[in-house]
Amino acid sequence: MLTRIPVLLALLFWIGPGWAQDPLPSSLSSPTPALVSEDEPQDPGLDDLDPSPDPELPTQASDQAPPGEVWDRIRSGFALPDLTDEQDSRLVAKQIAWLAARPDYVERTLNRSRMYLFFIVSEVQRRGMPTEIALLPLVESAYNPHALSRSQASGIWQFIPSTARLFGLHKDWWYDGQKDVVATTYSALDYLQRLYDEFHSWDLALAGYNCGEGKIRREIAYNRARQLPVDFGHLNLSDETRNYVPRLLAAKAIVLSPEHYGLILPPIPDEPYFSSITTHKKIDTKVAAQLAGLSVDDFLMLNPGFNRPLIQLSANRTTTILVPVSAASSFIAHLDDPDLTLVSWQTRQLQRGEAIDRVAHEYGMSGEELKRINGIAPNRRIASGGVILVPLSKTAETGSSAPPADLPASPPEAELSAPPPKHHPTHGKTGKSAHLSPTPHGRGHSKQGTHAKGTKRTSSARTRKPSSHAPAP
């Protein structure tokens, strides 16, 4: 027995190190470097964007699933029925074929929607509407907030001036509510809901949005008097309105099964892109863009309502500026920084006999440039007493201190080549909404917020330069 003990000890000594170095079972082991690089490719730029973790996040935050795509939420809310009329079905197929044959156009258009789509879908769902309606700006403007038709319909929802006034969309020299993405979204959905409440059909509500509810009422009355059907397929509508609903249903088909048509939808996270910040302070458009981490072009895609290189409203109103969520906190901090120069522009009243060219020369600018900045046609003269925007300081080096003419009279790729007849609603009360509070500048949709120091981050609702918009056939 005693002779066996040394043998056993020697055996355990020999087995022990090998046992201690055995790998974990495969079900518990960490992925190999090869698997990590194949399944989860690393973006070399991510560390530069966020070099340190947020100390307020729990340690297990990295295990949380990333947000899904907004396309999934849109698909889950599709509710518009297919058109049953054979002719309308053919129109839908024609519109689908038109989009499928233009993958570059579809990609540009949907990329342009990045900044707005989450907000629009959220508001559509909050109201219990079919999510196809969130795709309506694709039909109206290709999600281009600078889109302008020959009938002066503008913005992503293509409001004409009379309808914009009816829905309380304010417009003045500084600001154009027809282009304001948030305010017009509220107004467009108010209008569509009112049309649906009247006609009890989304097809007819959409048709009325395009040609005016008066036209739909008359056609319904005409068919009823002759005991004819009063659905969308049986009304006598213009070609533009007849194609309007099929265009939306074609967009729905593309979003529902893009791979079936050889298309790829750009990934858009199902999370807010922008935050609304209200302030009483004046700020240059160029400075605001820099604080938001955007180019001036991209800033104006997010804030298309601002008409001048200086953002200011009347003394008794706050200004609402949209900035990316990631930049909101620093934007507010910079607005309250007393050492930061926010304004390099001022207003000036022209005196008798004072010409634009002479004023421009004082500030080291050309007369053409000063006119462009002030939205004055090249061949137009301003009478004495008129107010114009000029640089804050009289220096020949205005190029470095003052923003360029960011808002030409007709933004690139802004015109629709075939403007449809636009909305002509009858007068009546409209609903109010406050999903994103406050609504930038829109009167009658939500209240403006205030802040003791002049700024406030109120809520949240991504960006590329506008591309050409060619309307569907």
Side-chain angles (χ1 to χ4, degrees):
M1 180 66 180
L2 294 174
T3 59
R4 294 179 179 178
I5 292 175
V7 175
L8 290 172
L9 291 173
L11 181 63
L12 289 172
F13 180 80
W14 178 77
I15 295 175
W19 169 79
Q21 295 173 8
D22 279 349
L24 293 172
S26 60
S27 62
L28 299 177
S29 61
S30 300
T32 64
L35 289 177
V36 171
S37 62
E38 291 175 5
D39 297 341
E40 299 176 8
Q42 301 298 305
D43 186 342
L46 291 181
D47 292 338
D48 295 334
L49 294 177
D50 190 10
S52 60
D54 189 332
E56 297 180 358
L57 292 178
T59 56
Q60 68 271 22
S62 60
D63 297 331
Q64 297 175 357
E69 290 194 5
V70 73
W71 304 117
D72 297 328
R73 187 145 63 101
I74 292 177
R75 295 185 189 106
S76 68
F78 281 162
L80 292 184
D82 294 332
L83 296 175
T84 57
D85 183 82
E86 183 178 352
Q87 179 183 0
D88 290 333
S89 297
R90 287 197 299 267
L91 291 176
V92 174
K94 179 182 177 182
Q95 299 295 333
I96 293 175
W98 191 92
L99 291 170
R102 293 162 175 81
D104 292 343
Y105 167 77
V106 173
E107 181 182 9
R108 289 195 306 270
T109 297
L110 296 182
N111 268 320
R112 200 182 292 128
S113 75
R114 288 175 180 272
M115 294 193 295
Y116 327 119
L117 199 52
F118 174 87
F119 162 69
I120 295 173
V121 174
S122 299
E123 182 61 20
V124 165
Q125 288 191 316
R126 190 188 71 81
R127 295 168 179 247
M129 293 177 163
T131 52
E132 289 95 336
I133 292 175
L135 303 176
L136 194 59
L138 185 152
V139 176
E140 287 283 350
S141 63
Y143 291 102
N144 183 356
H146 297 295
L148 178 66
S149 75
R150 289 189 294 271
S151 62
Q152 300 305 302
S154 62
I156 64 171
W157 295 97
Q158 288 290 280
F159 273 91
I160 60 172
S162 59
T163 308
R165 289 191 296 270
L166 182 61
F167 281 87
L169 296 173
H170 173 74
K171 182 176 181 178
D172 58 28
W173 193 76
W174 298 97
Y175 160 79
D176 185 353
Q178 285 180 244
K179 296 179 180 179
D180 189 305
V181 172
V182 175
T184 56
T185 295
Y186 289 148
S187 296
L189 298 184
D190 284 347
Y191 187 19
L192 283 164
Q193 184 63 57
R194 195 177 80 182
L195 292 169
Y196 177 78
D197 291 342
E198 177 177 353
F199 299 123
H200 308 290
S201 162
W202 283 114
D203 294 344
L204 296 181
L206 290 162
Y209 186 88
N210 178 253
C211 68
E213 64 264 47
K215 168 68 174 177
I216 303 300
R217 290 192 197 108
R218 290 191 297 272
E219 294 303 327
I220 289 176
Y222 181 90
N223 280 19
R224 279 179 176 163
R226 290 156 181 78
Q227 298 183 340
L228 298 173
V230 293
D231 60 292
F232 175 79
H234 288 86
L235 298 186
N236 181 25
L237 303 173
S238 68
D239 289 343
E240 168 61 34
T241 305
R242 178 61 63 199
N243 279 279
Y244 190 75
V245 176
R247 287 181 189 178
L248 181 60
L249 294 179
K252 169 186 178 179
I254 295 297
V255 170
L256 191 61
S257 300
E259 65 285 346
H260 180 74
Y261 304 103
L263 299 172
I264 299 176
L265 304 184
I268 301 180
D270 190 18
E271 61 183 7
Y273 174 71
F274 62 77
S275 290
S276 300
I277 296 174
T278 60
T279 180
H280 291 282
K281 296 184 177 180
K282 302 176 183 179
I283 184 172
D284 285 0
T285 302
K286 186 176 181 179
V287 173
Q290 292 171 344
L291 298 184
L294 301 172
S295 67
V296 172
D297 287 339
D298 287 345
F299 179 81
L300 291 175
M301 287 292 286
L302 192 54
N303 297 273
F306 297 137
N307 291 336
R308 303 289 171 246
L310 175 64
I311 300 172
Q312 76 165 22
L313 298 180
S314 57
N316 60 343
R317 295 179 61 199
T318 57
T319 303
T320 301
I321 302 173
L322 304 185
V323 301
V325 170
S326 59
S329 297
S330 62
F331 192 96
I332 293 173
H334 282 106
L335 283 180
D336 292 333
D337 184 354
D339 297 326
L340 181 65
T341 300
L342 300 178
V343 175
S344 61
W345 295 87
Q346 63 182 332
T347 56
R348 170 169 170 167
Q349 188 174 32
L350 295 178
Q351 304 301 316
R352 177 185 293 272
E354 198 170 33
I356 286 283
D357 288 345
R358 193 168 75 181
V359 173
H361 180 72
E362 292 181 24
Y363 296 92
M365 307 173 68
S366 68
E368 292 79 7
E369 182 183 5
L370 189 57
K371 283 186 175 182
R372 185 169 61 250
I373 288 170
N374 283 275
I376 302 170
N379 58 349
R380 183 182 174 189
R381 300 182 63 182
I382 304 299
S384 61
V387 176
I388 60 172
L389 200 62
V390 296
L392 193 60
S393 60
K394 292 186 178 182
T395 171
E397 298 180 0
T398 56
S400 60
S401 61
D406 298 316
L407 289 173
S410 179
E413 305 168 340
E415 290 196 0
L416 300 177
S417 59
K422 283 296 145 189
H423 331 306
H424 301 282
T426 55
H427 290 269
K429 295 182 179 180
T430 61
K432 296 183 179 181
S433 59
H435 174 60
L436 181 64
S437 177
T439 306
H441 322 303
R443 297 181 297 180
H445 299 289
S446 65
K447 296 181 179 179
Q448 298 283 357
T450 57
H451 189 273
K453 293 186 177 182
T455 61
K456 180 179 180 181
R457 177 180 177 177
T458 55
S459 59
S460 305
R462 257 173 196 251
T463 176
R464 297 175 71 163
K465 296 180 181 179
S467 300
S468 59
H469 169 45

